[in-house]
Amino acid sequence: MGILEVFNQFRDSRFTDCPEITYSNLYKKALNYLHFEFEIDGENYLFSPYYVLLIGEQKPELLEFVDNNEEFLDALKKYVLNSLYVYSALVEENSYYLSNPQSILIARMLHKRDARFELKFYTHYEDELLDTYKDKIYIGRDFINLKKFERKYLGFKKYFLSLIEQDDKIQDRAKHKLRYFEDYKKSYLDEIHYSIQETVSDAMERIQLFKETKISDIHKTNLMEVLDNILYLSNLMIELRDLTQEFETKLRMRDENDFVKYLTKFLKDLTDGIRYMRKVSTLLHLRISNYPIS
């Protein structure tokens, strides 16, 4: 099933399970300057916020769908932004870029299976977009299911399971891209692999303790335990990030430029995961404290 077939299934639903959220100025800007990029049959098609094709060959079937379904695409934008608001910290983490008046947000949608998508997010300067599109900056990714907005385990599962996939890519690309592969294998690549295996194993065990989809659903008697587990998992991610950052620095010093860009993207995803856990832990602290915030 292709991306258009999936969209056609949902174009009249308006995503009724998507929560209504009042956006801050940062999220308003992200929404207003969101550019969709759809990957179809290995080709990418970039559209402006007003659904004008900017990059990609003319594809009549796609253009006809876009022209006739602006309301659906508007609803899809909110679905994507609300998913980031509830289950990510990508927008907040990249406020340096996204609050810049010249910056835009690009959401590349890759269909995985059924109604599930992987989204890769980039930012760029609006006036340089068409001339230097390859210079866009990767800022993170997310995974959404158009059939179900809410995510069990407060959305943490996707952060940890994606580490396995990313580790496989890193290990494979290292063999082909690093000039001095053996110099890094034991001290960094093997350590990263081992750290990811331990982190994911520990995380999968701990998140079973909180299967809720929202913080408000967690019973007050369980708040302390959930918070302690999230802080523990955050520390594991920080250790993995620090190891990866040390590796990245060494690679840059030795001009391993063909490989280091993949590690930089991985670091972005780790940082987003850490930032999201901080976001959740802050809200849990406030619930535990009974401190009024409204």
Side-chain angles (χ1 to χ4, degrees):
M1 184 183 294
I3 189 171
L4 290 182
E5 287 82 356
V6 177
F7 284 170
N8 273 309
Q9 290 182 1
F10 291 91
R11 63 180 181 176
D12 296 322
S13 70
R14 298 295 181 270
F15 308 112
T16 54
D17 65 335
C18 183
E20 286 293 328
I21 290 175
T22 301
Y23 294 132
S24 65
N25 288 335
L26 179 62
Y27 273 84
K28 284 179 184 176
K29 184 176 184 300
L31 180 69
N32 292 335
Y33 287 86
L34 178 63
H35 292 55
F36 272 134
E37 185 177 51
F38 304 123
E39 185 183 85
I40 303 176
D41 299 328
E43 299 293 329
N44 293 327
Y45 301 87
L46 180 70
F47 288 86
S48 76
Y50 298 103
Y51 310 119
V52 175
L53 181 64
L54 300 177
I55 295 176
E57 299 295 327
Q58 296 287 321
K59 190 175 181 66
E61 183 184 7
L62 174 61
L63 294 178
E64 181 181 359
F65 178 88
V66 170
D67 287 342
N68 294 329
N69 292 280
E70 288 192 12
E71 286 188 23
F72 163 77
L73 293 170
D74 286 343
L76 181 61
K77 277 185 182 180
K78 289 188 176 181
Y79 193 93
V80 169
L81 260 293
N82 290 3
S83 295
L84 292 179
Y85 183 89
V86 176
Y87 294 114
S88 172
L90 185 147
V91 172
E92 296 93 322
E93 177 64 29
N94 293 284
S95 61
Y96 173 80
Y97 298 114
L98 299 180
S99 61
N100 187 310
Q102 294 298 318
S103 293
I104 58 135
L105 178 63
I106 301 167
R108 176 182 292 173
M109 295 194 68
L110 300 92
H111 180 228
K112 305 303 283 186
R113 69 182 191 280
D114 302 324
R116 299 172 188 269
F117 290 82
E118 176 183 0
L119 288 91
K120 294 185 177 181
F121 294 93
Y122 303 84
T123 186
H124 206 321
Y125 286 140
E126 186 173 21
D127 59 354
E128 299 175 7
L129 181 62
L130 299 183
D131 294 331
T132 60
Y133 183 65
K134 290 184 178 180
D135 294 336
K136 61 188 179 299
I137 299 172
Y138 175 79
I139 58 173
R141 64 178 182 165
D142 192 23
F143 300 87
I144 62 172
N145 183 350
L146 298 185
K147 288 184 178 179
K148 188 176 183 180
F149 179 87
E150 293 186 346
R151 309 177 193 179
K152 288 201 302 185
Y153 316 110
L154 304 180
F156 285 122
K157 188 174 181 180
K158 63 119 179 181
Y159 284 103
F160 293 103
L161 288 184
S162 69
L163 293 179
I164 300 291
E165 173 203 344
Q166 290 170 294
D167 180 47
D168 289 342
K169 290 180 180 178
I170 287 171
Q171 302 295 333
D172 181 62
R173 286 166 174 163
K175 295 175 185 176
H176 298 94
K177 299 289 185 179
L178 284 174
R179 292 178 300 164
Y180 307 107
F181 173 75
E182 291 300 331
D183 290 358
Y184 309 115
K185 187 178 185 310
K186 287 187 178 180
S187 55
Y188 289 107
L189 290 164
D190 288 352
E191 283 296 313
I192 287 174
H193 176 72
Y194 174 78
S195 179
I196 286 175
Q197 293 293 322
E198 290 293 301
T199 297
V200 173
S201 176
D202 213 342
M204 290 300 100
E205 182 178 335
R206 288 173 180 268
I207 66 173
Q208 295 296 324
L209 301 173
F210 47 97
K211 296 184 179 181
E212 292 86 353
T213 62
K214 299 190 292 288
I215 293 174
S216 59
D217 292 339
I218 302 173
H219 195 277
K220 190 140 189 176
T221 57
N222 297 331
L223 288 173
M224 291 281 196
E225 182 182 20
V226 172
L227 177 58
D228 288 345
N229 279 296
I230 290 174
L231 293 175
Y232 177 84
L233 294 175
S234 178
N235 289 336
L236 291 181
M237 290 278 273
I238 290 170
E239 290 176 4
L240 178 57
R241 181 203 61 189
D242 290 348
L243 173 61
T244 306
Q245 209 158 38
E246 181 183 326
F247 187 24
E248 182 197 41
T249 300
K250 180 155 287 191
L251 290 173
R252 292 192 182 280
M253 290 174 61
R254 300 186 70 180
D255 296 324
E256 292 278 9
N257 299 319
D258 285 345
F259 175 73
V260 74
K261 61 184 178 181
Y262 301 111
L263 212 60
T264 301
K265 287 184 177 181
F266 180 49
L267 271 171
K268 262 294 183 184
D269 293 334
L270 287 173
T271 301
D272 178 41
I274 293 166
R275 181 69 168 78
Y276 174 57
M277 281 187 269
R278 288 176 180 166
K279 180 177 177 178
V280 173
S281 64
T282 298
L283 295 173
L284 287 171
H285 273 110
L286 288 170
R287 274 204 66 195
I288 291 169
S289 71
N290 288 320
Y291 184 79
I293 58 174
S294 63

